[in-house]
Amino acid sequence: MNAKPESDYDVIVAGGGAGGIGAALGAARAGARVLLVEKYGFLGGAATSSNVLAYCGFFQQGPEPIKAVGGVADLVLDELRALGLSCDPFRSPTTQNWIILLEPEAVKLALDRVIAAHGVDLLLHTRVAAVSRTADRLHAVTLAGMDGRRRVAAEAFVDATGDANLALIAGLACRTGDKRGHLQAVTGPIRVGGRDKSVPIDRTAIVEAFAAYNKTGAHPTARPDGGIFTEVPVTGDMWWMMYDHQLVDLTSESFTRAEQAARAAAHDYVRVLRESVPGFENAYLLQTGPQIGIRESRHPPARYELTGEDLLTGRRRPDGVARAAWPIETHSTPGRPVYKSIGGDGFADIPLDCLRARGVDNLFYAGRTIGADPDAYASIRVMGTAFATGEASGIAAAKSEA
Ligand SMILES: Cc1cc2nc3c(=O)[nH]c(=O)nc-3n(C[C@H](O)[C@H](O)[C@H](O)COP(=O)(O)OP(=O)(O)OC[C@H]3O[C@@H](n4cnc5c(N)ncnc54)[C@H](O)[C@@H]3O)c2cc1C
């Protein structure tokens, strides 16, 4: 597909997380001229902006890691390997699921490289801020960057913003949270430096320390089990998810309170480690954020919503374009994730209609914006699956005709 004279690009992808990277690479490999727009100064989405340091969804559940996602995601893993990450399947001791452990600086550089190698134009520090639209098509987006605003036209668009920001400004009616407006908990993942790496992390000591902290501490944890932690590859820091928070709505005021509470809790929690847990005597808070981890926000209207039933039965479909293999992992109550396994052969097909906007012909979805009911969303949102839906979405956008 070549850009028409009036269009600057064939495909504009909004958002540079796993979904947006998949979409940009998928569209570029299908021959499209692609612009990728990201509001932060680096790519990676939650992996690099919220310390989400594991790719889930690449493998099915089970005693052996059976691959469910390949394609452009493999190009990303190759770049990560070239930077010294093993990317071998790692079995989480907490959940027994297969994941790929990440180090955020390697992710940023690997993604810069893979995007450049495929000729994708990239604008960082740039936000998709407005859209021009007629009844059933988008025509251009207004980008707000360091140098002000500019209008860029394209033949097709991919909303990979995680929060459906493109669909929202295009005026599509979005659902917030589940069908009752209830949102999955946000979490403040942190990195802890300075621990004595010769001392294994003692979960029992953490549990006891936080049983005491929760009696009087300012930010009681909803994870009395010690939370989810592991060692970051290369650096050996501790990656720790211990602070969960219930968002009541999507207002900036709620996010401000959540960010500030998560930050204050992070300082408290590392102090508790330092004072009470062997091996952490010299520990310090290495990093929060840059932003809190948002599990769920709004869902734009798609032509089909994948259902929990599709996943629980491992439904196969002739129009499947990606695979969902991560278990349904629901965080309705802070600190209490509930897992349900995928049925059938251990994965379900995601049909193209999940990636297509309802009512707008040339708008596609990638990553956690795709059509999914609350149960299915709790599986498809993971980054491995987001690469896969992104790639399919980018290919479909590149092939879509005016
Ligand atoms: C606490 C927590 C733990 C998790 N654990 C895991 C895990 O271990 N493994 C896993 O695979 N998944 C995990 N997930 C889920 C996963 O991180 C996300 O669902 C996933 O990152 C979704 O990918 P995405 O590309 O759709 O969105 P995102 O990663 O959110 O990326 C969207 C990108 O769009 C950008 N953006 C947004 N609006 C605009 C705009 N208007 N203009 C330009 N850019 C914009 C954002 O800056 C961001 O970079 C976790 C999530 C949370 C919150």
Side-chain angles (χ1 to χ4, degrees), residues 14-21 37-40 42-47 49-50 52-57 99 126-129 160-163 165-166 169 185-189 239 241 244 291-296 326 329 366-369 377 380-384 386:
I21 297 291
V37 182
E38 167 55 47
K39 73 178 177 185
Y40 285 123
F42 48 83
L43 298 170
S49 66
S50 302
V52 177
L53 297 180
Y55 283 151
C56 301
I99 60 180
T126 304
R127 184 185 286 262
V128 175
T161 62
D163 300 323
N165 287 325
L166 179 53
I169 58 179
V186 293
T187 296
W239 171 41
M241 293 197 276
D244 280 3
Q291 69 160 47
I292 201 164
I294 302 168
R295 275 207 184 72
E296 181 177 33
W326 189 253
E329 178 189 334
R368 65 188 176 90
T369 56
Y377 178 76
I380 61 83
R381 66 192 170 81
V382 295
M383 293 183 279

Side-chain angles (χ1 to χ4, degrees), residues 127 162-165 168 174-178 181-186 245-258 291-300 368 377:
R127 184 185 286 262
D163 300 323
N165 287 325
L168 180 74
C174 298
R175 181 185 93 227
T176 296
D178 67 12
H182 181 79
L183 292 156
Q184 295 199 33
V186 293
H245 179 96
Q246 187 61 58
L247 269 186
V248 288
D249 56 36
L250 297 178
T251 59
S252 294
E253 287 80 359
S254 289
F255 278 99
T256 303
R257 280 192 291 275
Q291 69 160 47
I292 201 164
I294 302 168
R295 275 207 184 72
E296 181 177 33
S297 52
R298 65 180 75 78
H299 305 272
R368 65 188 176 90
Y377 178 76

Side-chain angles (χ1 to χ4, degrees), residues 138-159:
L138 305 187
H139 298 281
V141 285
T142 300
L143 304 180
M146 299 296 276
D147 51 353
R149 291 185 167 233
R150 70 175 93 170
R151 183 179 187 277
V152 189
E155 295 299 313
F157 299 80
V158 179
D159 186 338

Side-chain angles (χ1 to χ4, degrees), residues 265-352:
H267 283 268
D268 263 16
Y269 292 2
V270 176
R271 178 179 51 75
V272 171
L273 289 182
R274 213 168 30 239
E275 290 173 355
S276 311
V277 180
F280 285 90
E281 293 76 7
N282 299 309
Y284 53 88
L285 177 59
L286 187 58
Q287 196 195 24
T288 63
Q291 69 160 47
I292 201 164
I294 302 168
R295 275 207 184 72
E296 181 177 33
S297 52
R298 65 180 75 78
H299 305 272
R303 296 185 187 191
Y304 179 71
E305 280 204 339
L306 197 68
T307 66
E309 192 61 19
D310 289 336
L311 298 191
L312 294 172
T313 57
R315 189 173 171 206
R316 308 296 310 276
R317 306 180 45 134
D319 53 351
V321 290
R323 288 181 175 185
W326 189 253
I328 294 172
E329 178 189 334
T330 308
H331 292 252
S332 293
T333 309
R336 295 203 201 128
V338 176
Y339 293 86
K340 289 182 207 157
S341 294
I342 308 290
D345 293 330
F347 67 90
D349 284 327
I350 301 173
L352 182 61

